[in-house]
Amino acid sequence: MTAVKVPKRAIAAIAMASFLGFAAFFWPFGVPAGSVDSAQTAPLLFGMLLLIVLAVVFAEIADGRIDAKALAMLGVLSAINAALRPLGAGTAGIETVFFVLVLAGRVFGPGFGFTLGCTSLFASALLTGGIGPWMPYQMFGCAWVGMLAGLLPKAKGKKEIVMLAAYAAFSGYLFGFLMNLSFWPFSVDPNSSVAYEPGLPPLEQLQRYLVFFSVTSLGWDTGRAVTSAILVALAGPAVLGAFRRAARRARFQAKPVFTGAGNRPPAQREDSGDLEGGQSPLRQAQRDDAPPADAGDGLQHERAHDHPKAEQG
Amino acid sequence: MRLDRALHPVAWWLWAIALATAASQTSNPLLLLLIFAVLGLVVTARRANAPWARAFHYYLIMALIIIAIRVVFRSVFATGITADDHILFTLPQVRLPEWYAGIQIGGPVSLQATLSAVIDGMRLACLLCCIGAANSLANPKRALRVLPGALYELGVAVTVALSVAPQLVESVQRVARARKLRAGRRRGLRAFRSIALPVLHDALDRSLKLAAAMDSRGYGRTGAATPRSRRLTGALMLAGMAGLCVGAYGLLDPSVPRAAGITGFAAGIACSAAGLALGSRRVSRTQYRPDPWRWPEWTVAGCGVVTAVVLSLGLGYDPAALNPVLYPLQWPDLPLLPTVAILLAGAAAFASPPPPAGARA
Amino acid sequence: MIEFADVSVTYEEASQPVLRDVSLSIPEGELCLVIGPTGTGKSTLLGTINGLVPHFTGGTLAGRVSVDGQSTADHPPREFAGLVGVVGQDPVAGFVTDTVEEELAYGMEQLAIAPSVMRTRVEETLDLLGLADLRHRGLHELSGGQQQRVAIGAALTAHPRVLVLDEPTSALDPTGAEDVLAAITRLVHDLGVTVVLAEHRLERVIPYADRVLYVAGDGTVESGTPARILALSRVAPPLVHLGRLAGWEPLPLSVRDARRHAGSLRETLPPQPPVPHRRSHATGVTALTAQGIVVRHGAVYAVRGVDVSLYAGQVTALMGRNGSGKSSLLWALHGAGPRSAGKVDAAEKVGLVPQTATDLLYLDTVGAELSQADRDGAATGTARSILDSLAAGIPDSAHPRDLSAGQQLALVLAIQLTVTPGVVLLDEPTRGLDYDAKAALARTLDQLASQGRSVVVATHDVEFAATVADRVVVLAEGEIVADGPAPEVLTASPSFAPQITKVLAPLPYLTLGQIQAVTG
């Protein structure tokens, strides 16, 4: 079940975007001294780049048509994420966004996960007035977390939950690691010994960063990893169930079938009328014992009543 | 006679980004303080009565935290104390293993180092507050309309999210209240379940109804894009990405000539932008009551840009005044032209029309 | 305008079509009312008009549906947006934006209508639906009726030639519903829009309908004039049932018509009904006494010093307009809601079914919900047997959210009854229920009363109160303004009376049963 089809072109775009994303985060370890003017330009430059990259990837995915069902789902889940996010922000490291992102990516597929990562962060930034140069980095990070969740291998039952919980914890750490990396070069006083210093050998640079990371946000990220994993482990089955039910009901990529006389020119009407559709006397005689599967929502209540005696009273 | 209306969000963003650019050019604490003052003035004068407009003081708090963190980091992981430094106090020093070469914890804390940390922090905080000002001045929902057509779906999804989020909060309150009615009231995780799941189910069910409504109301009608223009769009975008990749690679690998990297970046950005522009033809739609761009918009964006230009060019005054030295320690000068330029940015508070009273959107 | 030619609809994984060989045509400018019991295919029928069925829902459509000559097979629903406007049951669920003006413009933006045209159309729509004062308001600050009017306006701004409304008032209180229905009838008369309307508050719209489609439940659809269809329909307002009973020709569709027929009937009926409107189970044993109840929300006093006693076996209808304090009083009586002053003495446990019953359901299957209820304080199987007595045949494996509104209500009621409360409070249970489901609910409440429980129903629905209540309490501004036996309170004022009382006034008859008892 994928809610959003990812066209081939978009896959190519995502592959290149990943390379650029990698460069945007890890440049402090690779850029030789002097190739970027200052520790402040590179993050801004890469922030702009990421914005363009995200726009291109999103446009490419959307070109494969995000239908109304997927889009509405995207909007509603982004709203849930945006509403959940402030809950976590104040309390040490409790991160609630990853939980929904991972589970939704898992159920609705990698394309949906990617777009949900973008829209969630964007919506949340708009709601809380948090638009800024950090946003592309966060969107990129979340888009990746959501997409990878959709690419995890098949598993069922407890195994699936364990896998998702482990992934949630891992992505919590990774996200923290990357986000810190994105502002590390310019946010620390260049004269302190854990600051980014242009031109240092990669290993030494990494050492400095690791100290910075462990001092500033390791605890926070541990909080995020642990809460995400616990949330997935405890509430995962129920939420997965809810998502899967929604996916089933939505029938993403449903194929409408038109048969019968009326859709052809009148001349052909006579001979094709009885061939198909619900018109054969035999089929009419059949009784409907099983409830028909879910149809669109406005039509929801009609299903329940197909149980002959199911109405109250 | 000036009518109250919301200024075009892009004008506010241009103004704020320009001011941030100006701030990034100076480490003169007096000029930075002046920029803070201008931000405060404009935000107080021109923010609307809306939730996002309250973001500014969170940014101020963040700014203080940034300065504090800078000072603490500078003191704890101190390096580069010279003989000229005025030592304030000395922290106990921690011996680190050999392989942690170059990282020092503890040691003497000097006045100059602390001041430089404060000023550097102030500059960063000032950048942050510029962004905060834009966030609280520009209406985010109007800003969404600036998105190019190629990102139409992103805009719609976010619009939906913005209108659904408050309903979710309501829904949580209602379910939490109703929960009290059921016997054997659950605590802990079960309580979470009994609140979260009804809300989640409601939200998911709602998304399907919303989808049906959107479909009936014409969402996703195809525009003027032909298969050929779509192929061209795709080619442009992929070429653009490839160009960006080349540029990034050039930046990371010193053996690639810089010109190649920069060309890659430039070509990449151009191709991507062209692709996005062409891709926008995929959807055709119009805008209800588009935000006008009139002289207040020009003025606001313009006075921001002038400030940025004056501080970047360094002409007409001593450029050294922008970055006063700490050795020897002295009171910084206030250069005239930059001061005037920054004050000019404050004119945005009067050039922009007053925000509509009580308007939410 | 709308043509159905041999249309059958079969959903995927369903063995039997929802609609079968439907052929009909709806001319331009008609108000066409679609009636039929819930769950028979009304929504499917409406969905086929703009192609949501099967484009959106999946499934197979045989035959041809065309609007203004365009077949739904050739165009997806979005291409019909300029031709067919659709309004759903729950207005809030269909809103894309969050202010009135933007919502009105949204559809036009999708159709790429020029900004200047949009501006004028929004203005005219604001006037047409009486929304001008609300133009800048957030959609969530509006009342249900206002929201639904915005939804109708949003569909209208695209200037569709057909407007399809699927039970637009089922989620609204009566005031809101009246507003919406008045707006719809005005549209038909002023704009000549073809309106297809599914509605179960028939009494309000029937006088204006040009045509009625009766969706029978076996997949067939019957089309005809209102009088002809209603003469046969199982779904009909009390007025029509009265007309049928009295053999009036043509069948009266409004109180006014009926009163003109009713002269002779009034003369034959005895001045006092020979039988009560319902058989009371009241015992006179006090089940709950409340004294001096005050509920304050912020600066507003929702309930102002109410004294009330409830008796075992008695069904009490709590009536009053929106915001009169009904809900607050129920919650205060239950004890879960805030209570600023006063005390409640209940001899037995009190159970409350809230307005949105599904808020209480959080498990995946009906079975799990029932066994959870058992664990909360009853022997295993109790909840199941209660549910079966209320609504038989709901399988354990069903998802609670897939049930119909009536079934969900029964499930929540069963869960609340499992802990055997002596007093059962229901907050607006009839919202969204059709005639059949209401009748079933009335039977359920009667059954609860016969078990010696005291039942309180907060409702706006006069007809429902007339069939189910022994006693009626009317609240206004947080105070009790009337409290007495149902016949006394309900016949006291003509505007507050059930249809049959209105037709037969000044005779104090409430239900059809009372007349049947006389005429035999």
Side-chain angles (χ1 to χ4, degrees):
Chain A
M1 172 75 62
T2 46
V4 175
K5 274 192 286 187
V6 182
K8 281 213 183 70
R9 240 164 52 194
I11 295 176
I14 288 176
M16 286 194 269
S18 310
F19 172 75
L20 283 167
F22 187 82
F25 282 108
F26 287 94
W27 66 269
F29 306 129
V31 174
S35 35
V36 200
D37 299 336
S38 77
Q40 305 212 359
T41 10
L44 265 183
L45 180 77
F46 277 114
M48 291 279 293
L49 267 188
L50 278 191
L51 209 57
I52 297 173
V53 165
L54 278 175
V56 167
V57 172
F58 200 98
E60 284 291 84
I61 291 180
D63 192 51
R65 186 171 285 291
I66 302 180
D67 68 358
K69 288 174 205 167
L71 197 83
M73 188 68 78
L74 212 50
V76 166
L77 290 182
S78 305
I80 291 178
N81 269 340
L84 281 177
R85 201 154 166 241
L87 288 186
T91 32
I94 293 176
E95 183 60 73
T96 35
V97 176
F98 278 57
F99 156 65
V100 178
L101 196 57
V102 166
L103 296 179
R106 171 78 181 166
V107 173
F108 299 110
F112 188 89
F114 187 94
T115 39
L116 181 63
C118 295
T119 52
S120 297
L121 269 282
F122 195 20
S124 144
L126 283 179
L127 271 178
T128 51
I131 304 171
W134 49 82
M135 211 177 66
Y137 289 94
Q138 291 178 337
M139 281 168 77
F140 205 84
C142 279
W144 267 95
V145 170
M147 188 176 81
L148 289 179
L151 292 173
L152 290 177
K154 274 191 189 143
K156 277 208 164 147
K158 283 226 168 69
K159 253 191 188 164
E160 182 182 32
I161 297 299
V162 170
M163 176 180 75
L164 290 174
Y167 174 71
F170 166 76
S171 58
Y173 269 119
L174 189 68
F175 186 76
F177 184 85
L178 292 179
M179 284 313 123
N180 277 294
L181 191 50
S182 72
F183 60 74
W184 172 57
F186 60 89
S187 65
V188 188
D189 195 312
N191 288 318
S192 97
S193 63
V194 292
Y196 168 68
E197 196 174 313
L200 274 189
L203 212 63
E204 228 167 284
Q205 198 82 272
L206 184 66
Q207 229 175 47
R208 282 172 160 242
Y209 175 62
L210 285 179
V211 175
F212 171 77
F213 175 62
S214 48
V215 172
T216 50
S217 81
L218 190 64
W220 192 280
D221 290 325
T222 307
R224 171 176 22 226
V226 170
T227 40
S228 299
I230 289 180
L231 275 175
V232 170
L234 294 181
V239 175
L240 277 180
F243 283 170
R244 295 211 159 109
R245 175 170 170 272
R248 223 176 23 249
R249 279 162 52 83
R251 304 178 163 274
F252 295 109
Q253 330 285 350
K255 289 269 178 298
V257 183
F258 290 90
T259 64
N263 299 311
R264 301 180 197 172
Q268 293 173 22
R269 200 182 254 203
E270 291 302 313
D271 46 53
S272 61
D274 289 328
L275 286 179
E276 42 209 342
Q279 301 175 8
S280 108
L282 222 167
R283 290 192 66 176
Q284 285 190 11
Q286 283 175 346
R287 269 194 51 72
D288 178 22
D289 291 321
D294 315 46
D297 201 85
L299 320 157
Q300 169 196 0
H301 48 271
E302 282 168 14
R303 259 160 277 131
H305 287 259
D306 282 16
H307 297 280
K309 289 175 297 189
E311 185 46 60
Q312 182 189 8
Chain B
M1 164 90 201
R2 264 204 319 175
L3 301 173
D4 56 345
R5 71 176 175 98
L7 197 77
H8 199 294
V10 171
W12 280 130
W13 274 101
L14 281 177
W15 176 81
I17 290 171
L19 213 54
T21 316
S24 71
Q25 297 299 320
T26 176
S27 58
N28 185 331
L30 296 178
L31 289 178
L32 289 174
L33 281 176
L34 201 59
I35 295 180
F36 273 114
V38 163
L39 290 175
L41 169 76
V42 176
V43 168
T44 342
R46 285 299 180 251
R47 71 170 157 194
N49 180 21
W52 65 83
R54 279 168 235 139
F56 191 65
H57 68 255
Y58 295 111
Y59 278 87
L60 284 178
I61 294 169
M62 277 294 288
L64 288 178
I65 292 174
I66 282 181
I67 297 173
I69 286 180
R70 280 238 162 185
V71 172
V72 170
F73 264 68
R74 180 66 185 264
S75 313
V76 175
F77 301 97
T79 53
I81 301 287
T82 62
D84 298 334
D85 279 25
H86 176 80
I87 305 293
L88 290 174
F89 54 91
T90 305
L91 287 173
Q93 204 156 357
V94 179
R95 292 257 156 253
L96 285 174
E98 264 314 286
W99 53 271
Y100 254 99
I103 294 165
Q104 188 191 336
I105 297 181
V109 176
S110 76
L111 178 62
Q112 278 87 347
T114 310
L115 275 178
S116 117
V118 168
I119 292 171
D120 244 30
M122 261 174 77
R123 180 163 64 181
L124 202 62
C126 194
L127 295 182
L128 190 76
C129 285
C130 288
I131 291 159
N135 272 306
S136 34
L137 287 166
N139 181 336
K141 277 165 44 209
R142 305 298 265 178
L144 264 186
R145 300 168 154 222
V146 189
L147 283 183
L151 297 181
Y152 167 63
E153 283 85 358
L154 178 69
V156 180
V158 173
T159 311
V160 170
L162 294 185
S163 68
V164 170
Q167 297 173 37
L168 282 174
V169 177
E170 244 167 62
S171 182
V172 167
Q173 287 165 347
R174 200 191 65 221
V175 173
R177 207 167 81 108
R179 199 175 65 87
K180 294 187 197 159
L181 297 177
R182 213 169 150 169
R185 201 188 306 167
R186 273 133 285 266
R187 296 190 189 284
L189 179 73
R190 293 224 162 221
F192 168 78
R193 260 190 87 132
S194 64
I195 295 178
L197 280 181
V199 173
L200 183 64
H201 274 295
D202 261 0
L204 294 175
D205 286 355
R206 159 174 306 173
S207 92
L208 202 54
K209 289 183 200 159
L210 176 63
M214 285 170 60
D215 228 357
S216 318
R217 291 170 68 186
Y219 156 78
R221 279 163 77 102
T222 37
T226 58
R228 197 167 143 260
S229 88
R230 282 180 60 182
R231 270 198 303 276
L232 183 62
T233 309
L236 276 173
M237 290 205 195
L238 288 188
M241 293 284 272
L244 294 180
C245 284
V246 169
Y249 186 74
L251 192 73
L252 295 178
D253 186 352
S255 62
V256 177
R258 279 204 81 175
I262 290 172
T263 320
F265 270 133
I269 290 175
C271 284
S272 304
L276 285 174
L278 192 62
S280 302
R281 285 170 44 186
R282 193 164 52 82
V283 286
S284 67
R285 72 200 160 108
T286 46
Q287 240 176 50
Y288 175 68
R289 295 181 88 167
D291 288 310
W293 187 283
R294 301 204 186 107
W295 68 263
E297 277 80 8
W298 285 116
T299 323
V300 168
C303 52
V305 170
V306 166
T307 316
V309 168
V310 168
L311 269 82
S312 305
L313 287 184
L315 295 174
Y317 58 93
D318 178 16
L322 289 183
N323 298 294
V325 290
L326 289 167
Y327 301 90
L329 215 50
Q330 58 178 13
W331 188 252
D333 287 331
L334 195 60
L336 181 67
L337 193 59
T339 308
V340 172
I342 291 172
L343 287 177
L344 181 69
F350 312 102
S352 58
R360 300 172 17 102
Chain C
M1 193 72 205
I2 305 168
E3 298 282 343
F4 280 68
D6 299 326
V7 174
S8 298
V9 174
T10 313
Y11 287 122
E12 279 169 42
E13 294 160 43
S15 55
Q16 184 178 299
V18 184
L19 296 177
R20 199 194 293 275
D21 295 334
V22 178
S23 292
L24 52 93
S25 87
I26 302 169
E28 182 155 13
E30 277 198 351
L31 171 57
C32 174
L33 188 62
V34 181
I35 62 172
T38 311
T40 48
K42 274 187 298 187
S43 295
T44 303
L45 181 71
L46 297 184
T48 54
I49 295 178
N50 75 335
L52 276 181
V53 177
H55 283 288
F56 185 84
T57 57
T60 305
L61 185 136
R64 179 186 155 95
V65 179
S66 63
V67 181
D68 201 21
Q70 300 193 45
S71 165
T72 57
D74 307 333
H75 305 281
R78 55 180 174 271
E79 307 291 333
F80 274 91
L83 190 59
V84 181
V86 177
V87 178
Q89 260 177 40
D90 181 0
V92 181
F95 288 150
V96 182
T97 64
D98 55 4
T99 63
V100 173
E101 259 192 284
E102 284 173 27
E103 188 63 24
L104 291 179
Y106 177 80
M108 290 189 288
E109 289 182 337
Q110 309 309 308
L111 301 180
I113 290 170
S116 57
V117 179
M118 276 201 261
R119 194 70 204 270
T120 50
R121 284 199 193 171
V122 166
E123 296 304 324
E124 79 196 19
T125 309
L126 286 172
D127 283 341
L128 188 69
L129 295 172
L131 296 167
D133 297 340
L134 309 172
R135 60 186 306 156
H136 293 298
R137 296 272 291 278
L139 292 169
H140 300 288
E141 303 164 16
L142 306 183
S143 71
Q146 290 167 332
Q147 285 172 335
Q148 192 59 284
R149 262 152 53 211
V150 173
I152 293 173
L156 278 180
T157 47
H159 281 191
R161 302 186 50 200
V162 176
L163 192 61
V164 174
L165 303 111
D166 189 0
E167 305 202 345
T169 68
S170 74
L172 307 182
D173 60 73
T175 346
E178 298 263 311
D179 282 354
V180 168
L181 293 176
I184 293 170
T185 49
R186 195 157 64 235
L187 292 179
V188 177
H189 287 276
D190 292 0
L191 300 185
V193 184
T194 312
V195 173
V196 184
L197 170 70
E199 179 58 50
H200 56 245
R201 285 174 212 255
L202 297 181
E203 53 272 22
R204 195 63 209 150
V205 258
I206 277 282
Y208 304 99
D210 301 299
R211 174 186 304 275
V212 173
L213 302 182
Y214 181 65
V215 183
D218 58 353
T220 60
V221 176
E222 190 141 1
S223 162
T225 61
R228 187 175 81 78
I229 298 288
L230 284 181
L232 309 165
S233 159
R234 194 159 62 84
V235 179
L239 187 73
V240 169
H241 285 294
L242 177 66
R244 278 194 222 159
L245 181 72
W248 291 331
E249 275 297 333
L251 203 58
L253 299 176
S254 66
V255 170
R256 176 168 159 269
D257 291 348
R259 272 197 77 85
R260 287 155 77 175
H261 283 289
S264 57
L265 178 65
R266 277 201 294 269
E267 276 161 27
T268 56
L269 290 174
Q272 282 302 322
V275 291
H277 70 294
R278 52 173 261 115
R279 205 163 61 85
S280 176
H281 308 287
T283 57
V285 180
T286 313
L288 179 148
T289 31
Q291 280 181 321
I293 303 283
V294 176
V295 180
R296 203 175 82 177
H297 299 300
V300 182
Y301 286 90
V303 178
R304 299 166 165 266
V306 164
D307 304 322
V308 69
S309 300
L310 301 175
Y311 303 96
Q314 190 180 51
V315 182
T316 307
L318 187 60
M319 306 190 69
R321 70 177 78 82
N322 264 8
S324 57
K326 299 192 298 290
S327 276
S328 301
L329 179 59
L330 286 190
W331 282 76
L333 290 180
H334 177 271
R339 191 169 73 214
S340 313
K343 66 175 204 273
V344 176
D345 287 321
E348 290 178 81
K349 277 189 189 141
V350 183
L352 171 56
V353 177
Q355 224 175 70
T356 320
T358 47
D359 285 352
L360 293 187
L361 304 174
Y362 61 95
L363 295 169
D364 288 337
T365 60
V366 170
E369 289 285 1
L370 292 175
S371 49
Q372 180 64 50
D374 287 342
R375 275 198 299 279
D376 290 340
T380 314
T382 317
R384 179 82 243 182
S385 61
I386 294 176
L387 179 62
D388 285 340
S389 70
L390 300 181
I394 301 177
D396 265 352
S397 60
H399 197 289
R401 302 247 159 197
D402 288 339
L403 304 178
S404 70
Q407 289 174 323
Q408 284 173 339
L409 191 63
L411 176 59
V412 172
L413 199 52
I415 288 169
Q416 297 296 67
L417 289 175
T418 304
V419 287
T420 58
V423 181
V424 185
L425 314 171
L426 297 102
D427 196 356
E428 290 287 345
T430 57
R431 194 174 276 199
L433 300 187
D434 61 9
Y435 288 113
D436 283 352
K438 272 188 213 169
L441 179 64
R443 284 194 296 277
T444 302
L445 297 186
D446 189 60
Q447 186 189 335
L448 295 182
S450 71
Q451 292 162 0
R453 306 185 204 252
S454 176
V455 179
V456 181
V457 199
T459 183
H460 286 290
D461 192 328
V462 184
E463 307 292 341
F464 183 71
T467 47
V468 81
D470 302 313
R471 169 185 172 198
V472 173
V473 175
V474 181
L475 277 184
E477 294 194 307
E479 289 168 355
I480 292 183
V481 293
D483 181 358
E488 257 171 50
V489 179
L490 290 180
T491 55
S493 97
S495 63
F496 209 49
Q499 275 193 324
I500 291 186
T501 313
K502 283 180 185 167
V503 173
L504 298 179
L507 300 180
Y509 285 77
L510 285 179
T511 62
L512 208 59
Q514 289 174 311
I515 301 160
Q516 271 166 333
V518 178
T519 58

